[in-house]
Amino acid sequence: MAYVLCSALSTPPHGCLAVNSEAIILGFQHFIVMLGTTVIIPSALVPQMGGGNDEKARVIQTLLFVAGINTLFQTFFGSRLPVVMGGSYTFVAPTISIILAGRYKNEADPHEKFLRTMRGTQGALIIASTIQMILGFSGLWRNVVRLLSPLSAVPLISLVGFGLYELGFPGVAKCVEIGLPELILLVAFSQYLPRVLHFGKPIFGRFGVLFTISIVWLYAYILTISGAYKNAPPKTQVHCRVDRSGLISGAPWIRVPYPFQWGAPTFDAGEAFAMMMTSFIALVETTGAFIAASRYASATMIPPSIISRGIGWQGISILIDSFFGTANGTSVSVENVGLLALTHVGSRRVVQISAGFMIFFAILGKFGALFASIPLPIFAGMYCIFFAYVGACGLSFLQFCNLNSFRTKFILGFSFFMGISVPQYFNEYTAVAGYGPVHTGARWFNDMINVPFSSKPFVAGLVAYFLDNTIETHNNTVRKDRGYHWWDKFRSFKKDARSEEFYSLPFNLNKFFPAV
């Protein structure tokens, strides 16, 4: 069972979790963890869009501000799980496709190119948000999730975590003298020190991220000012030095992001279709992340109707992204789900406090940029643990399955293999040729095929879901082999009395928006 403040997910009784120092520190830790993705995505996209350090700092501020708003919406009105809603790597590929569109190539002014590209991305995201809102709020996705069994959930959830392996040690290796100490120290603080020391046992495990980041960040600062990277190659300096992000100089002291700050969105039908497909992939990946978060928050298995409601609110989050201009869509932050497992704290209130930090530091640009300038290999070291936790959560559902069944072994093995092998082929082909295996004159059509099959959890989940629901499904023995009977009482919101405690809406809104 996870350690929680008061009780898992539930709104604490009066006085139980008055915003105390422990909750604030835990919330700040969630804020620090989500900064990695918040910085990495704009740092990769904005220069290609034509923007400089000023534009990059403003986009990061905007993404951070919107992430705080979306996290509050999700925890109050969506799934009600303690999940952080932040930038998604899934949306990077179609955004790059928009950047490379022919109508922007002849723009000579870099700033004007940035603005035009941003507006095109905003238009595509506005259309893409509708697919999640329709599938989520209509209940259509609820009907799909009801056919998900523990067996078919294993590849999906596992590769939501394990599928991000390229962001782990490869990122550590970009500055191994900083990334590797972070990885080793975090393992030591979270796994060994609580078992060796006879005092403060919960402290090291619960706040290990803050301890290790402080130590390694200070170490990186000392290396920087001592001239250790004075003659190093430019790439090494960017990844290792603490003064090469350009965020602090580019960020204003105080700035409140506002809708349509880059101008009115522009629309292109092809780009909208490609972004809609990407939105569907993010929907599938978020479903796996929701299930993992419910498990690490010590809640009951999240009912399909609540997953569907959370997906609908994620669609609203993407719509908000498009209004503010983040150049990216929103999904559940996988690293923050891993942090739930590391800290053993599944409090919704803690995540809501972290959302407050996101909004606060987004407005106070210089202070937010200071934390956002933490060298990225430090985050990569943490990812090695957080993504591993999420992947292991998927494997934990094997306890409900019959592993002696050849049907089970085939579905597991084949879906895992295809989930890794097919995206590897698509990614290798793209790296060599500069474009995906599907390469026609219509860039939007290429993205609609290449992007889905480059997603490991999407491919694995699709294969497992199809096989599990088409091979000997009417056999009672098979039903037990796939673990379906274990989740029967969670198929409907009303079948388990604890659903009301974990997932009911605040302010008595369940009367007007009942879950089924």
Side-chain angles (χ1 to χ4, degrees):
M1 287 293 278
Y3 170 85
V4 293
L5 301 176
C6 299
S7 64
L9 302 186
S10 59
T11 302
H14 179 70
C16 180
L17 184 58
V19 182
N20 56 28
S21 58
E22 184 179 17
I24 292 172
I25 296 172
L26 288 167
F28 182 71
Q29 194 166 239
H30 272 282
F31 161 71
I32 289 293
V33 167
M34 65 84 62
L35 277 178
T37 299
T38 305
V39 173
I40 290 172
I41 293 176
S43 296
L45 294 178
V46 171
Q48 297 185 61
M49 298 168 71
N53 286 337
D54 290 351
E55 288 83 2
K56 182 171 70 172
R58 291 177 65 189
V59 172
I60 290 174
Q61 272 186 279
T62 303
L63 185 55
L64 191 60
F65 183 82
V66 171
I69 295 174
N70 291 337
T71 298
L72 291 176
F73 279 150
Q74 188 65 236
T75 54
F76 274 109
F77 307 113
S79 66
R80 298 282 284 160
L81 289 167
V83 292
V84 170
M85 306 301 293
S88 172
Y89 293 102
T90 305
F91 289 89
V92 170
T95 302
I96 292 177
S97 183
I98 293 174
I99 293 171
L100 298 176
R103 63 182 181 279
Y104 304 126
K105 288 183 177 179
N106 296 327
E107 182 59 61
D109 182 7
H111 180 68
E112 186 62 30
K113 180 183 178 182
F114 168 79
L115 292 177
R116 290 185 60 195
T117 308
M118 179 65 80
R119 293 166 189 163
T121 304
Q122 288 180 261
L125 286 171
I126 287 175
I127 303 300
S129 66
T130 59
I131 188 169
Q132 293 199 20
M133 287 189 284
I134 291 172
L135 290 175
F137 291 132
S138 69
L140 290 174
W141 192 244
R142 172 193 64 204
N143 297 329
V144 173
V145 176
R146 278 180 176 162
L147 296 177
L148 193 70
S149 73
L151 177 59
S152 54
V154 170
L156 170 63
I157 303 170
S158 294
L159 289 186
V160 165
F162 294 148
L164 295 170
Y165 60 81
E166 68 271 13
L167 300 174
F169 200 80
V172 170
K174 290 179 179 177
C175 187
V176 70
E177 62 267 34
I178 292 177
L180 192 58
E182 172 62 30
L183 173 58
I184 294 173
L185 284 175
L186 188 54
V187 171
F189 271 76
S190 63
Q191 306 301 321
Y192 288 95
L193 288 183
R195 293 164 174 79
V196 173
L197 298 179
H198 298 289
F199 62 92
K201 288 185 178 182
I203 295 177
F204 292 103
R206 214 169 297 153
F207 305 110
V209 169
L210 292 182
F211 284 130
T212 57
I213 284 184
S214 300
I215 294 170
V216 180
W217 194 12
L218 176 61
Y219 167 60
Y221 175 75
I222 293 173
L223 289 178
T224 300
I225 63 174
S226 64
Y229 302 112
K230 186 176 182 180
N231 299 316
K235 284 188 177 180
T236 302
Q237 296 199 34
V238 168
H239 290 110
C240 297
R241 295 179 66 101
V242 298
D243 57 357
R244 284 292 186 270
S245 66
L247 297 178
I248 298 177
S249 60
W253 280 102
I254 297 178
R255 179 179 176 273
V256 180
Y258 55 91
F260 307 116
Q261 57 189 329
W262 314 112
T266 58
F267 297 88
D268 179 88
E271 292 170 358
F273 281 121
M275 197 66 84
M276 286 178 70
M277 176 57 75
T278 305
S279 180
F280 181 73
I281 299 164
L283 177 155
V284 174
E285 294 175 353
T286 291
T287 299
F290 277 155
I291 296 173
S294 68
R295 190 157 183 82
Y296 281 139
S298 293
T300 56
M301 170 61 187
I302 179 171
S305 59
I306 304 303
I307 293 179
S308 192
R309 189 176 73 193
I311 291 299
W313 275 98
Q314 182 171 279
I316 291 178
S317 296
I318 296 174
L319 183 64
I320 295 174
D321 290 336
S322 64
F323 287 166
F324 279 81
T326 62
N328 193 247
T330 289
S331 67
V332 172
S333 173
V334 179
E335 54 267 37
N336 286 87
V337 175
L339 183 60
L340 297 179
L342 185 76
T343 60
H344 300 177
V345 177
S347 170
R348 183 190 297 124
R349 184 64 57 84
V350 165
V351 171
Q352 290 168 347
I353 291 172
S354 77
F357 279 115
M358 296 173 209
I359 296 172
F360 177 77
F361 284 113
I363 294 174
L364 296 180
K366 292 291 185 185
F367 293 101
L370 174 65
F371 293 109
S373 65
I374 297 172
L376 296 180
I378 294 179
F379 289 103
M382 294 189 292
Y383 291 164
C384 292
I385 296 175
F386 297 149
F387 295 156
Y389 261 128
V390 176
C393 180
L395 296 179
S396 71
F397 287 106
L398 290 174
Q399 66 183 297
F400 304 117
C401 308
N402 178 14
L403 294 179
N404 291 318
S405 165
F406 279 93
R407 177 186 183 275
T408 300
K409 291 174 182 175
F410 168 71
I411 293 175
L412 280 177
F414 187 66
S415 58
F416 266 108
F417 185 85
M418 297 304 289
I420 296 172
S421 186
V422 172
Q424 182 69 17
Y425 165 71
F426 274 76
N427 292 331
E428 283 185 1
Y429 192 105
T430 303
V432 173
Y435 48 82
V438 178
H439 183 59
T440 67
R443 185 185 293 274
W444 61 271
F445 178 77
N446 301 338
D447 291 339
M448 289 186 69
I449 306 300
N450 292 327
V451 172
F453 290 102
S454 299
S455 169
K456 301 173 187 69
F458 177 80
V459 174
L462 179 65
V463 172
Y465 186 87
F466 175 79
L467 295 176
D468 192 38
N469 286 287
T470 55
I471 300 177
E472 297 184 88
T473 54
H474 300 295
N475 189 320
N476 286 332
T477 303
V478 168
R479 182 181 176 84
K480 292 184 177 180
D481 288 347
R482 62 199 288 228
Y484 199 85
H485 61 294
W486 286 102
W487 284 3
D488 272 345
K489 67 177 180 179
F490 305 119
R491 300 292 170 189
S492 172
F493 181 85
K494 296 180 180 179
K495 281 189 176 181
D496 193 297
R498 294 169 296 175
S499 294
E500 191 77 21
E501 174 191 356
F502 296 134
Y503 304 111
S504 62
L505 292 171
F507 316 121
N508 212 22
L509 289 174
N510 264 46
K511 287 185 177 181
F512 305 101
F513 305 100
V516 295

